[in-house]
Amino acid sequence: MARHVVHVRTPRPPEEAFAYMADLNNFERWDPGVERVDQVKGSGPGTEAVFDVSVKAVAGTMTLRYETIDYEPPSRVVARAQSAMLTSLDTITVRPDPDGSIVTYDAELTLNGLLRLADPLLSLAFKRIGGRAADGLIDALDGDRVEHPA
């Protein structure tokens, strides 16, 4: 399993930060690895929201269908995608902070089946990919990275 977690302190109030993060249409605005997002079910974020997220892959583009599996405004949203090759679980939490809010983005990628043997290689690649996404998220939220939020 590959995992990348980033905590961002943003001046945005929790409701605003949550609304931005919970709408997966915004992924392509801050994650340089995302080429395109199409909402295929629902309108904006919510329990019925489903998104096709096209990401850069080794051999071109891979489209993952993300389904919202947990939606608790304004504090938590979880989206999951599963393909024959991999499973992605993205957990976003937002909590109040005296100067706005703290957004935590926790992304887990797991290779499926026999591909799981390559998880150590995926972890190395995901560290670079996750780092670029974290930088984009920090910029999008006008925030700062927080190593260990209180």
Side-chain angles (χ1 to χ4, degrees), residues 49-145:
V50 178
F51 301 85
D52 281 349
V53 179
S54 299
V55 296
K56 297 174 187 171
V58 175
T61 301
M62 175 190 316
T63 299
L64 300 168
R65 179 155 289 179
Y66 278 87
E67 297 183 24
T68 303
I69 60 172
D70 189 13
Y71 185 75
E72 303 169 28
S75 60
R76 178 179 158 91
V77 64
V78 180
R80 182 175 186 268
Q82 186 166 4
S83 71
M85 292 178 51
L86 62 88
T87 300
S88 177
L89 186 67
D90 294 23
T91 303
I92 301 160
T93 56
V94 179
R95 64 181 177 82
D97 182 69
D99 297 318
S101 56
I102 302 283
V103 173
T104 298
Y105 190 87
D106 185 343
E108 294 180 9
L109 281 180
T110 305
L111 292 171
N112 297 330
L114 291 176
L115 292 174
R116 193 170 288 211
L117 297 172
D119 266 345
L121 295 174
L122 177 65
S123 292
L124 290 174
F126 197 47
K127 186 176 277 192
R128 286 190 310 274
I129 294 165
R132 288 193 298 266
D135 291 343
L137 182 57
I138 291 164
D139 288 344
L141 293 175
D142 299 317
D144 297 300
R145 182 185 304 264

Side-chain angles (χ1 to χ4, degrees), residues 22-71:
D23 187 348
L24 273 58
N25 285 300
N26 291 319
F27 274 20
E28 67 182 305
R29 293 186 178 148
W30 59 266
D31 187 339
V34 174
E35 291 188 348
R36 180 184 171 116
V37 177
D38 294 303
Q39 187 157 7
V40 296
K41 187 175 177 191
S43 176
T47 56
E48 300 296 315
V50 178
F51 301 85
D52 281 349
V53 179
S54 299
V55 296
K56 297 174 187 171
V58 175
T61 301
M62 175 190 316
T63 299
L64 300 168
R65 179 155 289 179
Y66 278 87
E67 297 183 24
T68 303
I69 60 172
D70 189 13
Y71 185 75

Side-chain angles (χ1 to χ4, degrees), residues 2-19:
R3 185 173 183 201
H4 190 78
V5 180
V6 63
H7 308 283
V8 179
R9 176 174 284 122
T10 175
R12 294 182 183 202
E15 295 78 14
E16 182 183 328
F18 179 83

